[in-house]
Amino acid sequence: MEKFPDPALTRRDLFIVGAASAGAVSATATPDAEAAPPARNVSATQSEAVMSVSMTINGQMQTMALDTRTTLLDALREQLHLTGTKKGCDHGQCGACTVIVDGRRINSCLTLAVMHEGARVTTIEGLGSPQKLHAMQAAFVKHDGFQCGYCTPGQICSAVSVLNEIKAGIPSHVSADLNVRPLLSADEIRERMSGNICRCGAYSNILDAITEVAESTGGAA
């Protein structure tokens, strides 16, 4: 038999009962809510990922607040607007992003900026200027060592370091004797420059430019 609501229960009574039930549910849920781990503050998380990094770039001290995941390449291009260093493959395979850090050439796309606190970084802008070119820059112009020019900054930074490596006696895969200072030869230069790819194929002119600088400076750049 169908059961009808109690006629004595008014709309006001129903409201009071509903409110009381909601309060009871809320009171029951409160302990669980307090026990749940607090949601992470997004802005705080972002703040934790930022670090102050100082390094000497092209002879000037620079301090940057960087996301710890920022590569040296992106820091140079996006933070300091030193766009001479190019982003090519972004995987360390083409060499377009080559810069000189503490005297050694590296692919700036493969290293985080925060790893170089206090380092000395030289980019293509730090080697010379349009008014006073570095010897390697002038040689690349003289021997037409570039066509589109996109890889040229990395090629020049790498070439400068290559001559310094040979002068320092650092062997390569083509060095005949690892215990003897490597000779300044075309094979040595080609092998050491193999990490810098030129899609235009100006390799022979690049070799001529590097060789001329080596001969005019006694093997160093």
Side-chain angles (χ1 to χ4, degrees), residues 2-214:
E2 188 175 2
K3 197 171 180 180
F4 293 96
D6 186 351
L9 198 61
T10 65
R11 289 170 58 87
R12 183 172 182 279
D13 293 331
L14 288 172
F15 177 78
I16 293 172
V17 170
S21 299
V25 170
S26 176
T28 304
T30 299
D32 291 338
E34 291 177 350
R40 297 201 70 181
N41 186 306
V42 174
S43 61
T45 303
Q46 292 172 340
S47 176
E48 292 171 2
V50 174
M51 180 179 290
S52 178
V53 183
S54 297
M55 60 186 82
T56 302
I57 300 176
N58 297 333
Q60 294 186 340
M61 177 61 73
Q62 301 281 359
T63 300
M64 299 170 280
L66 298 174
D67 187 304
T68 52
R69 297 162 293 186
T70 305
T71 64
L72 179 58
L73 171 62
D74 287 338
L76 293 171
R77 289 180 56 85
E78 306 299 333
Q79 298 290 321
L80 302 177
H81 306 296
L82 294 171
T83 54
T85 305
K86 303 303 184 189
K87 177 175 285 194
C89 64
D90 216 18
H91 286 76
Q93 297 176 349
C94 73
C97 66
T98 303
V99 298
I100 303 170
V101 177
D102 291 333
R104 302 293 298 273
R105 55 182 170 146
I106 65 171
N107 292 322
S108 59
C109 73
L110 292 184
T111 185
L112 299 176
V114 295
M115 297 168 61
H116 300 287
E117 171 70 25
R120 293 178 295 105
V121 180
T122 302
T123 70
I124 189 67
E125 293 92 342
L127 285 178
S129 65
Q131 295 74 31
K132 188 177 181 180
L133 295 176
H134 184 278
M136 193 65 74
Q137 292 172 313
F140 266 65
V141 173
K142 177 182 176 181
H143 292 278
D144 198 16
F146 55 88
Q147 290 184 35
C148 80
Y150 195 82
C151 72
T152 306
Q155 296 272 7
I156 291 176
C157 285
S158 195
V160 169
S161 293
V162 161
L163 296 189
N164 290 334
E165 289 167 11
I166 295 174
K167 186 177 182 180
I170 299 173
S172 75
H173 288 292
V174 298
S175 299
D177 189 341
L178 300 182
N179 297 314
V180 176
R181 183 183 298 278
L183 298 175
L184 180 62
S185 65
D187 286 344
E188 282 286 354
I189 294 175
R190 288 195 186 98
E191 167 60 23
R192 293 168 192 267
M193 291 294 294
S194 61
N196 291 80
I197 296 173
C198 171
R199 299 296 185 191
C200 301
Y203 294 120
S204 60
N205 295 354
I206 292 172
L207 178 60
D208 290 343
I210 298 173
T211 301
E212 179 180 281
V213 174

